Amino acid sequence: MPLAVVTGANRGLGLETSRVLVARGWRVILAARREAEGRRAAARLAGGPGEATAWALDVGDPASVAAFAERARTERLSIDALVENAGVYLSRADAAAFRESLAVNVLGPIALLDGVAPLLARGAQVVMVSSGMGQLSGLPTELRRKVEAIRDRDGLRALAAELEAGAGSSGGGAYLAYSASKAMLNAATRFLAGELAPRGIHLNAVCPGWVRTEMGGAGAPRSVEEGARGIVWAATLPPDGPSGGFFRDGRPVAW
């Protein structure tokens, strides 16, 4: 039975992605910041051909990420798909909001990937759930230049520190905190895919579109089922599938 880890899996896109994988016979670990909510979500998926269990994980907390990775190593997991879905969109634009947006949307997912990378099976799939708001065309010119220049973790962390220190000075408010973090996640997708390629592991970023979730709001045009479809596609790619790309509904989109 293949194994998937899905973050932010207690609701919305994460829960729907987990539901589809369980229905296809996967074992899914639903990683959720509130473990009780994760357990309730996993119970809703019981009875399918696959299995669902819940583990605690706050991707914005380095200690929580480290504990999750240590538990995964202790249990000797062999992970066939890692879906990094957890994310935040905050209405504030202060330094704390920038710090949390960057921690949850980009730095935490990379730390989690680094922590469990040795446990990824050969040919595994890694999916970074991104957003169209992270496309470079939507960023201020100078910020776009800096994101395009990211080549490694050091460059990513340096830009994160700069954005946090200058929170609000470039305008854009909460929108900028979210879009910058997702653009940086997209930039990381490219260099991380190169690192994992020798093991036959694919890593791609996916934009689910504007979806009717707690984050997207009731007025969003896409259903959760529609949004999750592209995530599941990327999590179940064949061995000759793409890597290092940015996709929506299984089709490439502009960075």
Side-chain angles (χ1 to χ4, degrees):
M1 184 180 294
L3 171 65
V5 173
V6 182
T7 70
N10 58 297
R11 67 188 186 206
L13 289 167
L15 179 57
E16 176 60 17
T17 298
S18 300
R19 184 194 68 77
V20 174
L21 292 175
V22 169
R24 294 187 183 185
W26 286 61
R27 176 191 172 201
V28 181
I29 295 175
L30 283 71
R33 186 161 59 93
R34 300 180 182 87
E35 189 173 6
E37 292 183 12
R39 287 196 299 269
R40 286 193 290 271
R44 292 169 58 187
L45 305 183
E51 300 174 358
T53 57
W55 288 19
L57 173 65
D58 180 350
V59 296
D61 179 358
S64 179
V65 172
F68 185 96
E70 177 61 27
R71 180 179 179 182
R73 289 190 293 269
T74 299
E75 298 201 12
R76 298 182 179 181
L77 297 185
S78 178
I79 301 170
D80 298 289
L82 172 62
V83 180
E84 302 250 32
N85 167 73
V88 294
Y89 180 92
L90 302 174
S91 59
R92 311 183 323 275
D94 55 19
F98 267 75
R99 186 183 307 116
E100 184 175 351
S101 296
L102 293 165
V104 175
N105 294 344
V106 58
L107 299 177
I110 293 173
L112 177 62
L113 173 60
D114 287 344
V116 301
L119 306 178
L120 293 173
R122 184 166 186 84
Q125 309 295 331
V126 180
V127 185
M128 299 296 193
V129 179
S130 187
S131 170
M133 290 171 66
Q135 290 177 289
L136 291 170
S137 59
L139 298 179
T141 301
E142 181 63 15
L143 179 55
R144 172 175 179 165
R145 182 188 65 78
K146 292 177 179 178
V147 171
E148 287 179 317
I150 293 173
R151 295 291 182 271
D152 53 30
R153 289 168 182 76
D154 289 341
L156 192 81
R157 294 185 184 112
L159 181 54
E162 179 183 336
L163 288 173
E164 182 184 327
S169 63
S170 301
Y175 179 95
L176 182 62
Y178 182 79
S179 60
S181 66
K182 290 299 188 180
M184 292 165 68
L185 184 66
N186 290 347
T189 293
R190 295 196 260 194
F191 70 74
L192 292 169
E195 293 178 2
L196 295 171
R199 294 171 55 195
I201 296 170
H202 298 152
L203 189 153
N204 292 290
V206 170
C207 168
W210 185 12
V211 178
R212 291 188 294 276
T213 61
E214 185 172 309
M215 182 185 296
R222 308 196 86 189
S223 68
V224 173
E225 292 78 9
E226 289 172 314
R229 201 168 294 145
I231 300 173
V232 173
W233 169 83
T236 58
L237 285 170
D240 61 349
S243 188
F246 185 27
F247 297 90
R248 182 187 294 119
D249 298 330
R251 295 186 294 272
V253 293
W255 291 96

